[in-house]
């Protein structure tokens, strides 16, 4: 009996010890998503606007910290750099409130968080842009036991224009629209001009890229992708191919020869022309000419060799 | 008795007539149908100048009918339709509401006046098929489509029939006993096309004996819309969602121009059903652990990582340990995405600021959060990272980068230090939509003999951001 009792106690103790010894499961993968990823807001001073964001995460034992940071354009491709520290509310002309506490850990319901932000625009005299990023940082509720840990985060850009007059100032100029003097008609011509926005207000212009022959007739035309250009920044000019941005490319054909002009026209969304630049370019079949030259040299060489062998036979 | 004889003779006479019935000269062609390329109605509406102006892309249509302009809503229009407003041709870029559309380019002078016409011209090819019931040698078939009573050939949609549209191609497919020649189309009221009134005539002649039970196929118009009748616009008593039906005739004439067989068919036109769906732009960012022993950044990883932890464990002095994470981004936003990384501070003992394991200086002590440097010497201690690009559109550098300070074995950088207000560094990015683009981030650590013993830790934040 004693033996049975001691064996039972041993079994129970072993089981309990085993239960406590089970290591915590660690998520092998964490997937985050946010909708919408970019929000553009045009608001008048003194007006209020509510925008909802949906954040989802796949993974166990996770919570989230929503934060708002200042963002600024990084390059010509529309990428933003987010300030590593949360924004200082006193530095912007916008009061932001949320239906969940910002900067604090928020538990998730069904691995999802719906965050509503209310934007109150302050009174300003002139149009002003504010660029923000709403960041959701995922934190694990498991104990950390590593030398380094990673925090997956995802953000939504919030691009705000506070405009008291309703009139958007426009000052754009085309840069880097440089063409070679000659271009081989065998090769496609790709250009990468940029559009610089000289005012502090974001703008989404439209436009077209045209190639004109010597008679002024348009032989190739592409609509420009309506990229957003943030205030005081530049953006690469791209073509609109099936509603997606694509490089500005023209592939000349074998019969394109002579002087051509490449024209970039930038317009407002309403169609008013803002700026137009035209650059000349000569299309020359350089490879074709080289080929002909090589053939000529080849035939001359053959001819000379033949002539020499005939001469040596005579002598 | 008399009446019995009378009725008997009468009945017998009737029965006798059945012994030699007269030949039936006219019968119905069977299986007659007109298959339209599209059954969509044309549109004939009017500009409402109260919501339409020169230089604007917005077009407002009148919500009251005035025959023949009976279209009073935008329900038959959709984006990318080519329409005529006034006299100009425009493309619909969006349907705003029940009576407004946006067009491109913007409206020019003369196209934004009150009551200016708005036309959507639908030109469906008609494929008329039927089966013959008699054999008529060297005859012809004629199809009659209903025409407008007033302007049946002005090139604009009509409200009570097809517009002839100047010229129409008519063809038929040759089969046994029917060798067709190119057909002839005649506008309603034209020579030989007056009876019945208000029908356009489409005629194909053939040579051959003809046959009973042959299936004939006639094509009126082309799939491209050229030389094709214009479908009717909204009728005067039209109810949206209910088809306007029109009768057409198919006839077979013999060699002496006598009508032999004839059948009436029905063809229906109705508004297009505009199906709309909204796909919200979204961005997905995934971070996954990698098991030890996997080859990443050209080396075998030493310890298994998870999505949230990079556990280097116990370090041997002047020895590299390399761990890795798998980062993946998908987005349907046309602007693309960027993933940046920053550490909260350098690896600090117990998470404190000091003592700490410094960020990787690189073989040439030139590495920073924005400058790459080769890092292959184990006695050069620190914490840094490299990247192995799998299929991301753009990465700032890779472990194989062999330019600048790197020779291509383990090109590395430091994580941007938020404590030092360094700008987060880009790990990978795209300027367009992305489907599961991923990179491996390889963490590397080496500590020297002078490093104080203890547990060191920091936090690296990866942030995926959509592109504007």
């Amino acid at each position: 009996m004693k033996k049975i009792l001691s064996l039972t106690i041993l079994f129970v103790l072993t089981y309990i010890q085993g239960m406590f010894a089970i290591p915590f499961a660690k998520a092998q993968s964490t997937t985050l998503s946010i909708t919408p990823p970019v929000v553009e807001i045009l608001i008048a001073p003194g007006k209020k606007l509510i925008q909802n964001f949906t954040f989802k995460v796949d993974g166990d034992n996770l919570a989230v910290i929503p934060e708002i940071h200042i963002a600024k354009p990084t390059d010509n491709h529309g990428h933003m750099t987010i300030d590593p520290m949360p924004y200082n509310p006193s530095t912007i002309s916008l009061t932001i409130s949320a239906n969940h506490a910002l900067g604090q850990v928020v538990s998730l319901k069904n691995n999802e968080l719906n965050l509503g932000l209310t934007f109150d625009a302050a009174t300003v005299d002139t149009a002003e842009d504010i660029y923000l990023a709403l960041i959701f940082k995922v934190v694990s509720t498991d104990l950390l036991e590593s030398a380094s840990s990673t925090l997956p985060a995802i953000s939504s850009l919030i691009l705000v224009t506070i405009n008291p007059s309703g009139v958007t100032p426009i000052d754009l100029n085309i840069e880097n629209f440089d063409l070679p003097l000659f271009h081989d008609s065998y090769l496609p011509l790709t250009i990468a001009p940029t559009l610089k926005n000289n005012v502090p207000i974001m703008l989404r212009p439209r436009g077209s890229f045209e190639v004109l022959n010597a008679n002024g007739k348009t032989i190739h035309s592409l609509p420009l992708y309506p990229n957003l250009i943030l205030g005081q920044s530049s953006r690469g000019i791209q073509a609109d191919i099936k509603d997606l941005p694509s490089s500005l490319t023209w592939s000349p054909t074998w019969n394109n020869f002579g002087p051509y002009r490449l024209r970039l026209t930038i317009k407002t969304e309403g169609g008013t022309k803002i700026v137009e630049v035209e650059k000349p370019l000569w299309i020359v079949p350089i490879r074709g000419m080289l080929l002909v030259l090589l053939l000529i040299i080849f035939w001359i060489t053959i001819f000379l060799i033949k002539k020499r062998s005939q001469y040596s036979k005579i002598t | 008795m008399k009446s019995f004889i009378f009725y008997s003779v009468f009945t017998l006479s009737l029965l006798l007539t059945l012994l030699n019935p007269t030949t039936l000269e006219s019968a119905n062609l069977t299986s007659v149908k007109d298959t339209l390329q599209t059954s969509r109605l044309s549109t004939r509406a009017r500009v409402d100048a109260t919501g339409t102006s020169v230089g604007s892309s917005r077009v407002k249509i009148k919500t009251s009918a005035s025959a023949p302009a009976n279209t009073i809503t935008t329900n038959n229009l959709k984006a990318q339709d080519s329409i005529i407003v006034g006299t100009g041709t425009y493309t619909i870029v969006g349907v705003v509401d029940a009576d407004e559309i946006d067009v491109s380019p913007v409206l020019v002078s003369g196209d934004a006046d009150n009551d200016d016409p708005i036309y959507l011209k639908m030109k469906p090819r008609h494929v008329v098929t039927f089966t013959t019931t008699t054999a008529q040698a060297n005859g012809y078939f004629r199809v009659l489509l209903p025409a407008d009573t007033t302007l049946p050939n002005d090139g604009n949609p009509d409200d009570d029939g097809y517009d002839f549209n100047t010229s129409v191609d008519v063809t038929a497919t040759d089969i046994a006993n029917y060798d067709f020649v190119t057909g002839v189309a005649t506008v309603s009221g034209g020579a030989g096309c007056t009876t019945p009134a208000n029908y356009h005539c489409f005629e194909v002649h053939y040579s051959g004996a003809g046959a009973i039970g042959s299936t004939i196929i006639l094509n009126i118009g082309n799939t491209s819309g050229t030389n094709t009748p214009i479908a009717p616009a909204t009728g005067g008593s039209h109810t949206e969602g209910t088809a306007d039906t029109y009768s057409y005739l198919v006839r077979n004439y013999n060699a002496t121009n006598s009508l032999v067989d004839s059948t009436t068919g029905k063809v229906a036109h109705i508004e297009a059903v505009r199906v709309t769906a909204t796909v919200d732009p979204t961005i997905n960012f995934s971070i996954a652990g990698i098991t030890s022993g996997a080859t990443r950044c050209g080396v075998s990883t030493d310890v298994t990582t998870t999505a949230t932890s990079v556990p280097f464990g116990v370090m041997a002095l002047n020895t590299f340990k390399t761990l890795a994470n798998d980062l993946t981004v998908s987005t349907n936003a046309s602007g693309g995405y960027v993933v940046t990384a920053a550490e909260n501070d350098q690896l600090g003992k117990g998470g404190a600021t000091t003592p700490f394991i410094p960020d990787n200086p690189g073989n040439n002590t030139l590495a920073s959060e924005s400058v790459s440097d080769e890092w292959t010497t184990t006695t050069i201690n620190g914490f840094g990272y490299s990247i192995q690009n799998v299929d991301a559109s753009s990465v700032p550098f890779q472990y194989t980068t062999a330019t600048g300070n790197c020779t291509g074995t383990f090109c590395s950088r430091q994580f941007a230090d938020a404590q030092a207000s360094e700008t987060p560094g880009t790990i990978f990015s795209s300027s367009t939509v992305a489907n599961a683009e991923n990179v491996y981030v390889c963490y590397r650590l080496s500590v020297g003999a002078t490093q104080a013993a203890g547990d060191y830790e920091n936090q690296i934040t990866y942030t995926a951001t959509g592109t504007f």
Side-chain angles (χ1 to χ4, degrees):
Chain A
M1 184 63 187
K2 272 185 181 177
K3 199 175 178 182
I4 292 171
L5 186 65
S6 60
L7 278 173
T8 307
I9 290 168
L10 183 66
F11 175 77
V12 170
L13 286 174
T14 306
Y15 180 76
I16 291 168
Q17 191 272 338
M19 284 293 289
F20 281 102
I22 292 171
F24 284 108
K26 294 278 187 182
Q28 284 302 309
S29 170
T30 303
T31 302
L32 329 175
S33 74
I34 192 167
T35 302
V38 182
V39 177
E40 291 172 45
I41 295 172
L42 176 61
I43 191 169
K47 297 291 181 184
K48 183 185 286 189
L49 183 144
I50 297 171
Q51 172 70 44
N52 289 311
F53 298 87
T54 302
F55 167 78
K56 292 179 184 174
V57 60
D58 289 338
D60 299 326
N61 306 319
L62 297 172
V64 67
I65 304 172
E67 289 177 350
I68 294 176
H69 294 230
I70 296 288
K72 59 184 178 186
T74 309
D75 53 25
N76 293 335
H77 305 296
H79 297 141
M80 301 284 278
T81 298
I82 298 167
D83 194 287
M85 304 306 288
Y87 85 116
N88 180 352
S90 65
T91 58
I92 61 172
S93 307
L94 207 59
T95 304
I96 304 171
S97 53
N99 59 357
H100 291 281
L102 297 175
Q104 294 178 22
V105 176
V106 178
S107 55
L108 300 168
K109 194 175 180 182
N110 298 325
N111 284 9
E112 185 173 318
L113 178 67
N114 288 302
L115 184 74
L117 292 184
T118 304
F119 301 91
D120 278 294
T123 303
V124 292
D125 296 329
T126 56
E128 182 182 326
D129 271 13
I130 299 160
Y131 307 134
L132 304 166
L134 170 65
I135 300 180
F136 291 93
K137 285 183 181 173
V138 174
V139 289
S140 172
T141 54
D142 289 347
L143 290 174
L144 295 172
E145 52 184 46
S146 61
S148 186
S149 63
T150 53
L151 280 183
I154 198 164
S155 76
S156 178
L157 294 174
I158 303 166
L159 312 172
V160 185
T161 297
I162 304 174
N163 196 331
S165 66
V167 178
T168 304
I170 297 172
D171 182 3
L172 295 172
N173 60 290
I174 295 170
E175 296 181 333
N176 304 319
F177 185 23
D178 303 317
L179 301 177
L181 188 59
F182 298 101
H183 181 77
D184 187 355
S185 59
Y186 182 79
L187 299 171
L189 175 69
T190 300
I191 57 172
T194 55
L195 197 56
K196 188 177 181 192
N197 184 1
N198 297 306
V199 296
I201 306 303
M202 60 186 174
L203 191 69
R204 192 182 286 281
R206 294 183 177 274
S208 61
F209 168 62
E210 293 168 289
V211 179
L212 294 87
N213 65 13
N215 299 323
K217 188 182 174 189
T218 302
I219 59 166
H220 179 70
S221 177
L222 287 172
L224 299 185
Y225 190 81
N227 278 319
L228 181 70
I229 312 174
L230 298 188
Q232 306 282 21
S233 73
S234 294
R235 189 78 194 259
I237 298 174
Q238 294 171 291
D240 186 342
I241 309 288
K242 295 179 180 175
D243 289 335
L244 286 175
S246 181
S247 59
L248 280 181
T249 301
W250 171 48
S251 298
T253 54
W254 62 271
N255 57 350
N256 291 132
F257 177 74
Y260 288 84
R261 282 175 294 148
L262 271 63
R263 179 192 288 166
L264 274 173
T265 307
I266 307 297
K267 297 175 180 176
T268 63
E269 280 202 272
T272 306
K273 191 189 294 181
I274 302 171
V275 58
E276 186 173 275
V277 176
E278 228 174 71
K279 292 282 177 77
L281 171 78
W282 276 79
I283 299 296
V284 181
I286 296 171
R287 285 177 193 234
M289 289 165 72
L290 284 173
L291 190 67
V292 170
L293 188 66
L294 285 171
L295 281 173
I296 290 170
I297 292 169
F298 175 76
W299 286 114
I300 288 173
T301 309
I302 296 288
F303 176 75
L304 290 175
I305 291 168
K306 207 171 179 181
K307 202 170 181 184
R308 185 175 288 176
S309 69
Q310 281 174 348
Y311 179 77
S312 57
K313 274 182 185 173
I314 293 167
T315 56
Chain B
M1 185 63 188
K2 271 184 180 177
S3 61
F4 176 75
I5 293 169
F6 172 76
Y7 283 116
S8 298
V9 170
F10 180 74
T11 305
L12 199 60
S13 302
L14 280 175
L15 289 172
L16 284 172
T17 60
L18 296 176
L19 291 176
N20 188 22
T22 51
T23 307
L24 183 65
E25 289 190 346
S26 179
N28 284 335
L29 297 158
T30 59
S31 304
V32 176
K33 62 182 177 188
D34 179 1
T35 305
L36 295 169
Q37 186 184 350
T38 171
S39 60
R40 191 175 170 194
L41 280 166
S42 292
T43 290
R44 184 163 185 161
R46 295 177 298 149
V47 167
D48 185 342
T50 62
T52 311
S53 58
V54 174
S56 167
S57 59
R58 184 64 49 91
V59 178
K60 185 174 184 180
I61 69 172
K62 287 208 164 176
T63 53
S64 59
S66 176
N70 297 316
T71 306
I72 54 173
T73 74
T74 60
N75 289 341
N76 192 38
L77 302 174
K78 64 179 178 61
Q80 301 305 316
D81 278 344
S82 178
I83 62 169
I84 290 173
V85 181
T87 56
T89 302
Y90 300 87
T91 301
I92 297 176
V93 293
V95 178
V96 180
D97 54 28
D99 61 354
E100 288 181 308
I101 53 174
D102 280 337
V103 297
S104 177
V106 295
L107 294 166
V108 298
S109 178
D111 292 345
D113 303 319
N114 208 36
D115 287 334
D116 272 351
I118 300 171
Y119 298 126
L120 167 70
K121 299 178 182 180
M122 297 306 302
K123 300 170 189 170
R125 185 184 69 163
H126 298 247
V127 179
V128 180
T129 57
F130 51 88
T131 304
T132 57
T133 51
T134 60
Q136 302 299 327
N138 304 317
Y140 60 94
F141 295 105
R142 175 182 273 192
V143 177
L144 298 110
L145 291 181
D148 188 60
T149 53
T150 51
L151 293 167
N153 188 21
D154 65 347
N156 295 319
D158 302 319
D159 63 339
D160 60 352
Y162 292 88
D163 189 89
F164 191 72
N165 198 22
T166 311
S167 174
V168 178
D169 291 340
V170 186
T171 58
T173 308
D174 288 344
I175 57 170
N177 300 310
Y178 292 93
D179 184 12
F180 290 102
V181 295
T182 303
V184 177
T186 310
V187 66
S188 170
C193 188
T194 52
T195 306
N198 302 318
Y199 279 91
H200 301 302
C201 302
F202 306 96
E203 203 167 281
V204 278
H205 289 247
Y206 59 86
S207 57
I212 297 170
S214 295
T215 299
I216 308 295
I217 301 173
L218 306 182
N219 295 314
I220 300 172
N222 300 288
T223 53
S224 63
T226 54
N227 294 340
T228 304
I230 299 173
T234 315
S237 56
H238 178 74
T239 302
E240 278 192 349
T242 304
D244 286 347
T245 54
Y246 295 87
S247 297
Y248 64 95
L249 306 172
V250 183
R251 294 176 165 183
N252 190 182
Y253 291 82
N254 63 17
T256 58
N257 296 323
S258 297
L259 175 63
V260 182
D261 299 323
S262 178
T263 294
T264 301
K266 293 276 188 185
V267 64
H269 286 271
I270 193 168
E271 288 91 356
V273 177
R274 188 167 63 241
V275 179
T276 61
T278 303
V279 179
D280 282 335
T282 190
I283 182 169
N284 281 300
F285 175 42
S286 170
I287 180 167
I290 290 176
T291 54
S292 61
T295 301
R296 298 289 184 267
C297 298
V299 293
S300 177
T301 57
D302 294 294
V303 184
T304 298
T305 61
T306 70
T308 54
S309 67
V310 185
F312 280 102
V314 178
M315 295 293 296
L317 299 181
N318 294 323
T319 304
F320 282 138
K321 266 193 179 179
T322 306
L323 283 66
N325 268 144
D326 182 355
L327 276 56
T328 307
V329 172
S330 299
T331 182
N332 60 352
S334 60
Y337 67 89
V338 60
V339 174
T340 59
E343 59 186 8
N344 64 330
D345 197 356
Q346 297 181 84
L347 279 166
K349 187 177 176 184
T353 53
T354 186
F356 62 89
I357 300 172
D359 285 338
N360 146 51
N363 287 355
N364 307 295
T365 60
L366 292 170
S368 71
E369 76 278 10
S370 57
V371 177
S372 309
D373 193 359
E374 194 69 29
W375 189 21
T376 52
T377 306
T378 55
T379 52
I380 293 173
N381 308 124
F383 173 56
Y385 76 100
S386 191
I387 297 169
Q388 179 181 344
N389 186 14
V390 180
D391 57 2
S393 292
S394 176
V395 290
F397 73 103
Q398 285 200 74
Y399 74 101
T400 51
T401 299
T403 55
N405 310 312
C406 291
T407 54
T409 303
F410 195 88
C411 189
S412 67
R413 284 188 185 183
Q414 300 174 359
F415 282 106
D417 186 354
Q419 185 71 22
S421 299
E422 291 173 351
T423 302
T426 297
I427 302 294
F428 61 119
S429 64
S430 169
S431 295
T432 186
V433 293
N435 183 20
E437 294 189 357
N438 83 304
V439 301
Y440 300 121
V441 174
C442 306
Y443 312 91
R444 178 168 275 191
L445 179 64
S446 167
V447 292
T450 57
Q451 192 69 49
D455 294 332
Y456 290 80
E457 66 182 53
N458 72 353
Q459 289 181 332
I460 296 155
T461 303
Y462 291 103
T463 306
T465 307
T467 300
F468 58 83

